[in-house]
């Protein structure tokens, strides 16, 4: 299923899913209040709710509460995640980005998957404008895929992690590279280089939708990024060095993961300007439009504006 959060013409925000005839189902309205009105509440109890949907899906989708997609505006599918951990799981990105800065690959990267927490209160959705921080001149996009935790767990083993994943969406981990570079020389961060915006969308795909595309440590999903219509980045999720299972094992070591938390993959190879180099493309500026696309997960598009 393709779960979404969307705004209707009256300004109200609802949650639901997309059905084949390009309609958005408001699951709360269509179920007469049995299903919740937001994605976080749905994910927290999705086992019970999915059983209800399987039993009454035909009635839900043919009754009241369906709206043409063209009449609604898609928001971030999970606009209020409980947390966002972003990993560093694609080897090509790590190696190339470090080489471009005159740095060698660090051997410790091969020992553990590492992550940082980003601002879970600065989530943006499709078509939302991204404000370039006032002190930033080196604004960058980052082409990533993220999973949403659907089942609570602690000290989860990589081989058991699949049962803790609800689904996946595209993630753009916007980066103010100049701010990031300065603060990380102190040995802490990233913080202000990252906390102004992270984009999710356009929808949240349940993991069963991708089952047939399983390949290596990920899925055979083409990942591309365009700036102002020009393709800059091309990669594939199957090139993950660390699987989402390994990321979840690391994230849950000694701590509990809860439904509604987000795990980002880190940037796919070629997936940002830092890695490509400014001879390929300048840093992003107000007026630029960034378009990320992943097979089966749709297109996530945002425009840069001045703060």
């Amino acid at each position: 299923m393709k779960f979404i959060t969307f705004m209707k013409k009256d300004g109200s925000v609802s949650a639901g899913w997309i059905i084949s005839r390009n309609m958005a189902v408001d699951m709360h309205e269509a179920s007469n209040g049995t299903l919740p009105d937001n994605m976080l509440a749905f994910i927290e109890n999705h086992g019970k709710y999915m059983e209800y949907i399987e039993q009454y899906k035909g009635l839900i989708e043919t009754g009241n509460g369906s709206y043409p997609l063209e009449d609604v505006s898609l928001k971030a599918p999970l606009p209020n995640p409980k947390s966002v951990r972003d990993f560093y799981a694609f080897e090509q990105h790590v190696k190339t980005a470090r080489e471009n800065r005159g740095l060698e690959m660090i051997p410790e990267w091969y020992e553990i998957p590492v992550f940082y927490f980003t601002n879970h209160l600065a989530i943006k959705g499709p078509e939302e404008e991204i404000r370039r921080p006032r002190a930033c001149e080196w604004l960058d996009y980052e082409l990533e895929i993220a999973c949403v935790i659907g089942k609570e767990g602690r000290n989860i083993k990589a081989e058991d992690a699949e049962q803790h994943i609800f689904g996946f969406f595209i993630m753009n981990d916007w980066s103010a590279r100049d701010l990031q570079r300065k603060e990380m020389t102190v040995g802490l961060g990233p913080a202000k280089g990252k906390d102004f915006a992270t984009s999710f969308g356009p929808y949240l795909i349940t993991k069963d939708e991708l089952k047939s595309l399983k390949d290596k440590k990920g899925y055979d999903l083409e990942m591309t990024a365009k700036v102002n219509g020009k393709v800059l980045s091309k990669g594939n999720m199957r090139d993950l060095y660390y699987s989402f299972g390994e990321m979840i094992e690391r994230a849950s070591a000694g701590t509990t993961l809860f439904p509604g938390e987000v795990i980002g993959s880190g940037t796919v190879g070629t997936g940002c300007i830092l890695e490509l180099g400014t001879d390929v493309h300048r840093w992003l500026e107000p007026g630029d439009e960034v378009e990320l696309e992943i097979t089966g997960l749709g297109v996530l598009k945002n425009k840069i504006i001045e703060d």
Side-chain angles (χ1 to χ4, degrees), residues 1 47-58 60:
M1 296 179 72
K48 177 182 73 173
Y49 294 138
M50 288 298 282
E51 287 181 7
Y52 178 86
I53 291 171
E54 288 172 12
Q55 187 173 358
Y56 298 106
K57 196 167 188 284
I60 294 171

Side-chain angles (χ1 to χ4, degrees), residues 222-235:
E222 293 290 334
M223 304 173 67
T224 62
K226 296 178 183 177
V227 176
N228 300 327
K230 179 183 177 182
V231 176
L232 296 184
S233 306
K234 282 188 176 183

Side-chain angles (χ1 to χ4, degrees), residues 118-133:
T118 194
N119 187 356
H120 68 291
L121 301 177
I123 303 304
K124 303 296 182 182
E127 306 291 346
E128 285 195 62
E129 294 176 329
I130 305 300
R131 293 181 178 273
R132 184 177 69 172

